[in-house]
PDB file of all heavy atoms in Angstrom:
ATOM      1  N   ARG Y   9      11.951  -3.747  -0.359  1.00  0.00           N
ATOM      2  CA  ARG Y   9      13.228  -3.656   0.417  1.00  0.00           C
ATOM      3  C   ARG Y   9      14.287  -4.558  -0.158  1.00  0.00           C
ATOM      4  O   ARG Y   9      15.445  -4.124  -0.394  1.00  0.00           O
ATOM      5  CB  ARG Y   9      12.944  -4.000   1.934  1.00  0.00           C
ATOM      6  CG  ARG Y   9      14.206  -3.745   2.682  1.00  0.00           C
ATOM      7  CD  ARG Y   9      13.965  -3.899   4.198  1.00  0.00           C
ATOM      8  NE  ARG Y   9      13.274  -2.659   4.555  1.00  0.00           N
ATOM      9  CZ  ARG Y   9      12.252  -2.678   5.514  1.00  0.00           C
ATOM     10  NH1 ARG Y   9      11.883  -3.670   6.044  1.00  0.00           N
ATOM     11  NH2 ARG Y   9      11.748  -1.506   5.903  1.00  0.00           N
ATOM     12  N   GLU Y  10      13.895  -5.749  -0.514  1.00  0.00           N
ATOM     13  CA  GLU Y  10      14.930  -6.766  -1.104  1.00  0.00           C
ATOM     14  C   GLU Y  10      15.404  -6.242  -2.367  1.00  0.00           C
ATOM     15  O   GLU Y  10      16.604  -6.330  -2.761  1.00  0.00           O
ATOM     16  CB  GLU Y  10      14.330  -8.134  -1.198  1.00  0.00           C
ATOM     17  CG  GLU Y  10      14.078  -8.811   0.131  1.00  0.00           C
ATOM     18  CD  GLU Y  10      13.265 -10.115   0.014  1.00  0.00           C
ATOM     19  OE1 GLU Y  10      12.919 -10.520  -1.124  1.00  0.00           O
ATOM     20  OE2 GLU Y  10      12.982 -10.676   0.990  1.00  0.00           O
ATOM     21  N   ALA Y  11      14.497  -5.731  -3.268  1.00  0.00           N
ATOM     22  CA  ALA Y  11      14.877  -5.208  -4.539  1.00  0.00           C
ATOM     23  C   ALA Y  11      15.789  -3.991  -4.430  1.00  0.00           C
ATOM     24  O   ALA Y  11      16.818  -3.877  -5.060  1.00  0.00           O
ATOM     25  CB  ALA Y  11      13.616  -4.781  -5.341  1.00  0.00           C
ATOM     26  N   LEU Y  12      15.510  -3.161  -3.491  1.00  0.00           N
ATOM     27  CA  LEU Y  12      16.283  -1.887  -3.280  1.00  0.00           C
ATOM     28  C   LEU Y  12      17.706  -2.376  -2.842  1.00  0.00           C
ATOM     29  O   LEU Y  12      18.787  -1.818  -3.189  1.00  0.00           O
ATOM     30  CB  LEU Y  12      15.775  -0.926  -2.298  1.00  0.00           C
ATOM     31  CG  LEU Y  12      14.538  -0.184  -2.830  1.00  0.00           C
ATOM     32  CD1 LEU Y  12      13.840   0.520  -1.722  1.00  0.00           C
ATOM     33  CD2 LEU Y  12      14.912   0.676  -4.028  1.00  0.00           C
ATOM     34  N   LYS Y  13      17.786  -3.359  -1.960  1.00  0.00           N
ATOM     35  CA  LYS Y  13      19.040  -3.853  -1.392  1.00  0.00           C
ATOM     36  C   LYS Y  13      19.877  -4.544  -2.529  1.00  0.00           C
ATOM     37  O   LYS Y  13      21.011  -4.371  -2.599  1.00  0.00           O
ATOM     38  CB  LYS Y  13      18.777  -4.796  -0.237  1.00  0.00           C
ATOM     39  CG  LYS Y  13      20.081  -5.294   0.339  1.00  0.00           C
ATOM     40  CD  LYS Y  13      19.681  -6.213   1.626  1.00  0.00           C
ATOM     41  CE  LYS Y  13      21.039  -6.773   2.262  1.00  0.00           C
ATOM     42  NZ  LYS Y  13      20.733  -7.678   3.336  1.00  0.00           N
ATOM     43  N   ALA Y  14      19.155  -5.322  -3.355  1.00  0.00           N
ATOM     44  CA  ALA Y  14      19.786  -6.088  -4.478  1.00  0.00           C
ATOM     45  C   ALA Y  14      20.187  -5.213  -5.632  1.00  0.00           C
ATOM     46  O   ALA Y  14      20.997  -5.494  -6.494  1.00  0.00           O
ATOM     47  CB  ALA Y  14      18.953  -7.238  -4.995  1.00  0.00           C
ATOM     48  N   GLY Y  15      19.505  -4.030  -5.722  1.00  0.00           N
ATOM     49  CA  GLY Y  15      19.729  -3.096  -6.817  1.00  0.00           C
ATOM     50  C   GLY Y  15      18.990  -3.532  -8.084  1.00  0.00           C
ATOM     51  O   GLY Y  15      19.312  -2.996  -9.179  1.00  0.00           O
ATOM     52  N   LYS Y  16      18.034  -4.491  -7.901  1.00  0.00           N
ATOM     53  CA  LYS Y  16      17.246  -4.962  -9.042  1.00  0.00           C
ATOM     54  C   LYS Y  16      15.988  -5.620  -8.511  1.00  0.00           C
ATOM     55  O   LYS Y  16      15.920  -6.068  -7.356  1.00  0.00           O
ATOM     56  CB  LYS Y  16      18.032  -5.847  -9.966  1.00  0.00           C
ATOM     57  CG  LYS Y  16      18.389  -7.132  -9.171  1.00  0.00           C
ATOM     58  CD  LYS Y  16      19.251  -8.028 -10.045  1.00  0.00           C
ATOM     59  CE  LYS Y  16      19.626  -9.351  -9.285  1.00  0.00           C
ATOM     60  NZ  LYS Y  16      20.397 -10.236 -10.014  1.00  0.00           N
ATOM     61  N   PRO Y  17      14.939  -5.733  -9.348  1.00  0.00           N
ATOM     62  CA  PRO Y  17      13.768  -6.437  -8.921  1.00  0.00           C
ATOM     63  C   PRO Y  17      14.059  -7.869  -8.491  1.00  0.00           C
ATOM     64  O   PRO Y  17      14.913  -8.527  -9.106  1.00  0.00           O
ATOM     65  CB  PRO Y  17      12.826  -6.389 -10.152  1.00  0.00           C
ATOM     66  CG  PRO Y  17      13.260  -5.257 -10.899  1.00  0.00           C
ATOM     67  CD  PRO Y  17      14.801  -5.126 -10.698  1.00  0.00           C
ATOM     68  N   VAL Y  18      13.366  -8.356  -7.492  1.00  0.00           N
ATOM     69  CA  VAL Y  18      13.587  -9.667  -6.940  1.00  0.00           C
ATOM     70  C   VAL Y  18      12.245 -10.493  -7.068  1.00  0.00           C
ATOM     71  O   VAL Y  18      11.198  -9.926  -6.727  1.00  0.00           O
ATOM     72  CB  VAL Y  18      13.936  -9.603  -5.439  1.00  0.00           C
ATOM     73  CG1 VAL Y  18      14.168 -11.027  -4.840  1.00  0.00           C
ATOM     74  CG2 VAL Y  18      15.304  -8.863  -5.321  1.00  0.00           C
ATOM     75  N   ARG Y  19      12.276 -11.709  -7.478  1.00  0.00           N
ATOM     76  CA  ARG Y  19      11.036 -12.521  -7.635  1.00  0.00           C
ATOM     77  C   ARG Y  19      10.642 -13.181  -6.349  1.00  0.00           C
ATOM     78  O   ARG Y  19      11.508 -13.634  -5.614  1.00  0.00           O
ATOM     79  CB  ARG Y  19      11.260 -13.488  -8.745  1.00  0.00           C
ATOM     80  CG  ARG Y  19      10.034 -14.282  -9.078  1.00  0.00           C
ATOM     81  CD  ARG Y  19      10.036 -14.810 -10.551  1.00  0.00           C
ATOM     82  NE  ARG Y  19       8.808 -15.406 -10.984  1.00  0.00           N
ATOM     83  CZ  ARG Y  19       7.704 -14.844 -11.323  1.00  0.00           C
ATOM     84  NH1 ARG Y  19       7.606 -13.543 -11.318  1.00  0.00           N
ATOM     85  NH2 ARG Y  19       6.585 -15.526 -11.660  1.00  0.00           N
ATOM     86  N   ALA Y  20       9.356 -13.311  -6.093  1.00  0.00           N
ATOM     87  CA  ALA Y  20       8.847 -13.982  -4.891  1.00  0.00           C
ATOM     88  C   ALA Y  20       7.530 -14.590  -5.244  1.00  0.00           C
ATOM     89  O   ALA Y  20       6.882 -14.332  -6.267  1.00  0.00           O
ATOM     90  CB  ALA Y  20       8.641 -12.946  -3.772  1.00  0.00           C
TER      91      ALA Y  20
END
Side-chain angles (χ1 to χ4, degrees):
R9 182 171 285 143
E10 289 171 4
L12 290 171
K13 185 177 178 182
K16 62 182 181 180
V18 178
R19 185 152 183 84

